[in-house]
Amino acid sequence: MARVAGVSRATVSRVVNGIRNVDPQLHELVWSAVEQTGYVPNRMARSLVTRRTGTVALVVSDSETHDDDPFMSRFFADPYFGRIVGGLMSVLRPATAQLALQMVGADGHKRLVGDLRNGQADGAVVLSLPARDPLPGLLAEAGIPAVLIGRPPSPVPISYVDLANETGAALAADRLVSRGCQRIGMISGPADVPASQDRITGFQRAMARHGHAWVPTVSGNFTQESGEQAMRALLASHPQLDGVFVANDLMALGALLVLRDAGKQSPADVAVVGFDDSSAALAARPALTTVRHPLEDMAAEAAKLLLLRIEEPQSRISSVIYEPSLVVRQSG
């Protein structure tokens, strides 16, 4: 194939193995030759030479053990996770890297690190859900290539990709106030999760700038059911509520159902703004005004950072922060 492309075998190897810093013209020549020759990389032979598996782990780290499967059900039901997988694969597939899903409970962190150290995968993209998760620190200490989606709860020498969550929550506050809402509440995520902390802080600070010194708040856990429960609690304690910011779209979907059952129309009686711009926002009735969370782009960037880290272990620890935007629909 090197002869067909008119380049060296080393160049072919770098292109086929997804290694960066190859001239774009040479990159195009090699893949053109791949198409002409029908070449298929031999993964086993490659692993013997490179000592790599060609596999990246997507690690979902939680605070509980899920042997009875409720978390697996949540993983496949929540559009958040599907969007992340799609973004990762948009980068990993062209690099001929496979993606392996790893669910890790409270008792599995050290075992996972041992498996990764022993070559189960070349590196990991990590979704860290607990507030005090030891996994990012364990991965960094072990020198395993890893990238977090979402900032770590405490400073750890590990690369991460995140959203400016405070800015996004401020956009929601500005939208509700600009609509003329006066009695505004919030349904937050768990207060000890970094993204939730940032959204709570961003919303409260923005509301304070608008003259609202206090915002009634009920927390959920990012599921539709918890959004329903939180909305019922807010209405019970503040029946005159005319606006609510909900910290993710699934909870907002639940909140809209409760408002409808209570005989309240949105946005006429209670304006609702969600967060994520997921498929749940379009499934809602009315369609949900929400803060755009570019998860696919963020996951793709995490995959790029990880592949670079795998190829160049001494590359700088880095962070990439994405800016949110407001998507206006019918709910608020």
Side-chain angles (χ1 to χ4, degrees), residues 204-218:
Q204 289 175 338
R205 287 177 176 171
M207 290 300 294
R209 288 195 294 270
H210 289 296
H212 297 255
W214 177 76
V215 177
T217 302
V218 178

Side-chain angles (χ1 to χ4, degrees), residues 53-285:
T53 64
T55 299
V56 166
L58 170 57
V59 178
V60 183
S61 177
D62 198 18
S63 57
E64 301 175 7
T65 300
H66 301 282
D67 294 335
D68 55 353
D69 193 41
F71 189 69
M72 284 294 288
S73 299
R74 175 186 163 191
F75 182 91
F76 291 112
D78 192 333
Y80 178 90
F81 298 111
R83 293 174 65 194
I84 285 175
V85 171
L88 292 173
M89 290 308 299
S90 71
V91 172
L92 297 179
R93 188 180 292 111
T96 67
Q98 297 179 337
L99 185 67
L101 176 62
Q102 293 273 5
M103 301 288 193
V104 182
D107 58 352
H109 295 135
K110 290 185 178 179
R111 183 173 65 251
L112 172 74
V113 171
D115 289 343
L116 292 173
R117 183 184 281 158
N118 290 329
Q120 187 181 81
D122 300 325
V125 174
V126 181
L127 294 177
S128 178
L129 304 179
R132 296 176 180 83
D133 191 352
L135 183 58
L138 292 173
L139 291 169
E141 183 179 351
I144 295 169
V147 177
L148 288 180
I149 296 181
R151 69 174 174 85
S154 57
V156 175
I158 190 169
S159 294
Y160 68 89
V161 178
D162 200 8
L163 181 75
N165 284 288
E166 287 194 24
T167 302
L171 291 174
D174 294 345
R175 175 64 182 176
L176 290 169
V177 171
S178 71
R179 285 190 57 87
C181 298
Q182 294 294 322
R183 297 172 295 280
I184 299 172
M186 172 168 52
I187 297 175
S188 75
D192 56 357
V193 173
S196 292
Q197 293 171 355
D198 291 346
R199 293 176 197 181
I200 292 168
T201 299
F203 191 73
Q204 289 175 338
R205 287 177 176 171
M207 290 300 294
R209 288 195 294 270
H210 289 296
H212 297 255
W214 177 76
V215 177
T217 302
V218 178
S219 65
N221 65 2
F222 293 131
T223 63
Q224 180 177 328
E225 181 182 7
S226 72
E228 294 176 16
Q229 295 171 348
M231 192 71 250
R232 289 192 194 99
L234 269 181
L235 284 178
S237 57
H238 297 85
Q240 301 305 312
L241 201 74
D242 64 359
V244 60
F245 165 54
V246 190
N248 87 327
D249 290 345
L250 274 182
M251 291 195 298
L253 186 59
L256 285 169
L257 292 175
V258 170
L259 289 171
R260 186 177 63 192
D261 290 345
K264 294 182 179 290
Q265 295 185 343
S266 180
D269 299 316
V270 182
V272 177
V273 177
F275 202 111
D276 280 342
D277 194 27
S278 68
S279 58
L282 293 173
R285 293 294 178 268

